Amino acid sequence: GWAITVGDVCGKGQEAAAMTAAARHAIRVLAHWNPDPVDVLARVNEVMLAGDYEDRFVTAKLAYLRWDGARLHVRLASAGHPGPALVRPDGRVDVLNGGGLPLGLFPDADPQAEELELGEDDLLFFYSDGVTDARSPDMRYFEDSLADELAGLAGRSAAETARMVQGLVGSFSQDELRDDMTILVAKVKTPPG
């Protein structure tokens, strides 16, 4: 199977960069041997707490994907990070809420788990709060439009979806983004064999 992870760190500068690197490397190493993404994030929390990053924290999503016949099974672990959105080929959109506490703050962060079954042409749209917190000049949030915009993009490729949402967020905010924006899109294709 595969693993996908997306996260965000509180703050900017050297300390935030160090915490980001520690979280990224810890997830990569632990996920290599651990079949449970929830346990991986719980152990990453221990690494973050041991790093003494003051009041900084990391939010994260970690998805394990594996084929089960013609369906793609996803086990999704959440530690305070938004989304992802599940976009069906017919335009139905379900923005998942996740849950769990950010990593690096509390010993009992308790990452949350969710199971999904995806079929051909289903799309998972991962993002950071830089997407949802983008504001228009009249102070509306892009979060209020995200599901509708993704529904309108149903059926497009993963790369097109990422590019188009990036453009939509830029237009919506008149390129006055208040936070960095991360978008990662995975689209289910034909199962192997």
Side-chain angles (χ1 to χ4, degrees), residues 83-112:
L86 170 57
V87 183
R88 303 287 185 183
D90 64 4
R92 288 177 293 142
V93 176
D94 185 16
V95 178
L96 307 173
N97 63 6
L101 295 172
L103 306 174
L105 290 175
F106 308 105
D108 53 351
D110 194 26
Q112 301 296 300

Side-chain angles (χ1 to χ4, degrees), residues 5-183:
T5 190
V6 174
D8 199 5
V9 66
C10 169
K12 302 204 180 305
Q14 284 184 320
E15 195 72 23
M19 189 174 203
T20 299
R24 180 176 359 125
H25 294 301
I27 289 170
R28 186 176 189 126
V29 168
L30 292 166
H32 186 75
W33 285 283
N34 193 325
D36 181 2
V38 171
D39 190 51
V40 169
L41 291 184
R43 292 180 187 279
V44 170
N45 187 54
E46 294 172 14
V47 171
M48 298 293 94
L49 289 170
D52 191 28
Y53 294 101
E54 298 175 8
D55 293 330
R56 294 189 190 276
F57 58 86
V58 173
T59 63
K61 288 282 189 194
L62 176 58
Y64 281 10
L65 303 91
R66 66 171 169 73
W67 285 108
D68 185 10
R71 306 292 287 170
L72 188 65
H73 180 81
V74 179
R75 181 155 167 84
L76 182 66
S78 178
H81 196 81
L86 170 57
V87 183
R88 303 287 185 183
D90 64 4
R92 288 177 293 142
V93 176
D94 185 16
V95 178
L96 307 173
N97 63 6
L101 295 172
L103 306 174
L105 290 175
F106 308 105
D108 53 351
D110 194 26
Q112 301 296 300
E114 198 162 357
E115 306 273 335
L116 305 170
E117 293 293 328
L118 307 181
E120 190 170 345
D121 291 328
D122 283 344
L123 182 140
L124 277 177
F125 181 86
F126 293 89
Y127 55 92
S128 66
D129 62 358
V131 172
T132 53
D133 290 351
R135 283 196 229 168
S136 65
D138 62 354
M139 303 308 281
R140 290 176 295 121
Y141 286 96
F142 190 77
E143 179 174 27
D144 298 333
S145 314
L146 179 62
D148 291 337
E149 296 292 0
L150 287 171
L153 299 175
R156 297 189 185 267
S157 72
E160 282 180 302
T161 301
R163 271 195 310 277
M164 293 183 88
V165 171
Q166 183 178 8
L168 289 166
V169 171
S171 295
F172 180 83
S173 66
Q174 295 185 346
D175 292 319
E176 293 290 329
L177 295 176
R178 299 168 187 263
D179 198 358
D180 56 332
M181 178 172 42
T182 299
I183 296 173

